[in-house]
Amino acid sequence: MSVSRLSERLPDFPWDLLAPAKRVAAAHPGGLVDLSMGTPVDPVPAVVRAALTEASDSPGYPLTAGTPALRAAIAEWAARNCGALADGLGVLPTIGSKELVAWLPTLLGIGPGDTVVIPTVCYPTYEVGVRLAGATPVRTDSLTSLGPARVRLVWVNSPSNPTGQVLPAAHLRKVVEWARERGAVVASDECYLTLGWESTPISVLSPEVNSGRLDGVLAVHSLSKRSNLAGYRAGFVAGDPAIVSELLAVRKHGGLIVPAPVQAAMVVALGDEDHATVQRSVYAARRGVLRDALAKAGFEIEHSGAGLYLWATRDEDSWATADWFAERGILVAPGAFYGPAGERHVRVALTATDERVAAAVERLEI
């Protein structure tokens, strides 16, 4: 029996390509400093762990739609942090945000002959999701350049991963208006929304962006970085209730369900801003010392006004820069992972312990 190899549609998995540089960096006498993938290293908040434990006796099937408590917690969080009008807001928990990004085109019925717009420099999974659906990805930050293409979905990402760029409300509003005129959906990846530094991000759920209407608009969020819940796979999508209802209908058939104990933990995590404030201050401190160290080492930091990464360049091939870091025992992500336009940058994550960040700073000074 022959098996169609869906994986052949997809690009190489970027982190596999980084293995040689990781081996070099790990051989450093002081050990590896991993500033590449952006995996949280700080503890899961105690209140969240307690909620997970309390809900661990969950023998029955969980609700794909999320418990009423979780749906209310998502709506309330979106109202506080996104300026969303809670009345009529569609919400749905997801198995982290990457799962939703990878499968959204398929869940929306997008396929061959359809175009999906992704940012010029962006998270690789946007393109992966388009290719899984058999549609055509187009990298552009200027919708006017698309011409008559049959666009079904437009991804925006603010704050950007990897660049940390923040899109102003006026830009996002134009994207929403353009998409509505053409019957396309705008999906806004806002996983770093609450981590604004020099710039203040705004959500596509804000009336300032969507003119007080949710039609055609989705926002994607994650608790991975805000609450150190990457291991829990806890995320959600919010926006147009009709689209969210369709996503739910398909996801119920596909078994795309957040486990019940994780749903209970999400309720507590979304309702507690104290731990998020503490974690934000931790990242701010790490960001400050790494940014200074990179500047002293001759790197220019571009954008990076928000989020968990520094977008650094010294105007050379990104793999050469990654090798330079690896020789010093530091692993960073080559900008080539994020599209051709990123090939002269590297992405430096803030997700390492204070001790490892201090080690990186010391090595950059030599």
Side-chain angles (χ1 to χ4, degrees):
M1 183 180 73
S2 64
V3 177
S4 175
R5 298 189 62 181
L6 179 59
S7 63
E8 291 180 352
R9 289 188 195 170
L10 308 179
D12 292 327
F13 188 64
W15 304 109
D16 291 345
L17 301 176
L18 200 55
K22 186 173 184 177
R23 286 194 292 270
V24 171
H28 190 279
L32 172 69
V33 178
D34 194 342
L35 305 178
S36 62
M37 190 176 289
T39 299
V41 297
D42 300 307
V44 174
V47 292
V48 178
R49 281 182 281 154
L52 184 80
T53 301
E54 188 175 345
S56 62
D57 185 14
S58 298
Y61 291 111
L63 292 171
T64 306
T67 63
L70 178 53
R71 294 198 298 272
I74 293 172
E76 291 165 5
W77 187 91
R80 289 195 312 272
N81 292 278
C82 303
L85 302 176
D87 185 32
L89 180 69
V91 299
L92 183 64
T94 61
I95 310 166
S97 62
K98 182 172 184 176
E99 169 259 303
L100 191 279
V101 171
W103 293 107
L104 183 61
T106 299
L107 294 171
L108 292 175
I110 293 169
D114 294 328
T115 295
V116 177
V117 177
I118 62 176
T120 301
V121 177
C122 66
Y123 183 45
T125 309
Y126 301 143
E127 180 179 356
V128 167
V130 182
R131 295 194 181 280
L132 283 171
T136 302
V138 174
R139 290 180 180 268
T140 184
D141 298 322
S142 174
L143 295 176
T144 57
S145 67
L146 289 168
R150 184 170 180 251
V151 176
R152 294 284 307 281
L153 174 64
V154 179
W155 275 107
V156 292
N157 179 207
S158 178
S160 165
N161 171 15
T163 71
Q165 183 178 16
V166 173
L167 299 176
H171 177 92
L172 290 171
R173 186 164 54 249
K174 288 179 181 178
V175 171
V176 170
E177 291 170 353
W178 184 95
R180 282 175 174 162
E181 289 173 359
R182 291 158 180 79
V185 174
V186 174
S188 179
D189 180 350
E190 302 175 353
C191 289
Y192 305 95
L193 186 80
T194 58
L195 295 172
W197 310 116
E198 289 91 12
S199 302
T200 302
I202 186 168
S203 171
V204 74
L205 299 178
S206 168
E208 187 178 349
V209 172
N210 62 38
S211 303
R213 297 162 43 203
L214 292 171
D215 54 298
V217 169
L218 295 174
V220 180
H221 285 269
S222 168
L223 279 72
S224 292
K225 306 301 176 15
R226 174 188 181 273
S227 302
N228 298 325
L229 298 189
Y232 284 45
R233 308 314 301 134
F236 65 87
V237 60
D240 185 330
I243 298 177
V244 171
S245 178
E246 174 64 13
L247 295 178
L248 172 60
V250 179
R251 291 171 70 86
K252 285 193 292 187
H253 285 288
L256 296 170
I257 313 170
V258 176
V262 175
Q263 292 193 32
M266 288 176 68
V267 172
V268 172
L270 289 165
D272 178 53
E273 295 292 343
D274 290 343
H275 78 273
T277 300
V278 170
Q279 188 62 51
R280 176 186 163 84
S281 67
V282 169
Y283 284 134
R286 292 171 184 163
R287 178 179 182 272
V289 296
L290 278 172
R291 186 180 185 113
D292 288 348
L294 288 166
K296 290 176 182 176
F299 288 90
E300 181 180 351
I301 307 300
E302 295 185 354
H303 305 305
S304 306
L308 277 185
Y309 310 103
L310 295 170
W311 189 235
T313 182
R314 57 181 190 183
D315 198 24
E316 65 181 4
D317 179 80
S318 64
W319 283 103
T321 307
D323 289 342
W324 182 90
F325 276 96
E327 291 165 2
R328 288 154 181 79
I330 304 168
L331 194 65
V332 299
F337 283 1
Y338 308 97
E343 289 178 347
R344 303 192 77 77
H345 292 73
V346 293
R347 192 193 74 169
V348 183
L350 309 181
T351 49
T353 64
D354 292 344
E355 183 274 331
R356 290 287 80 188
V357 168
V361 170
E362 183 178 351
R363 294 173 196 183
L364 288 169
E365 291 174 346
I366 296 174

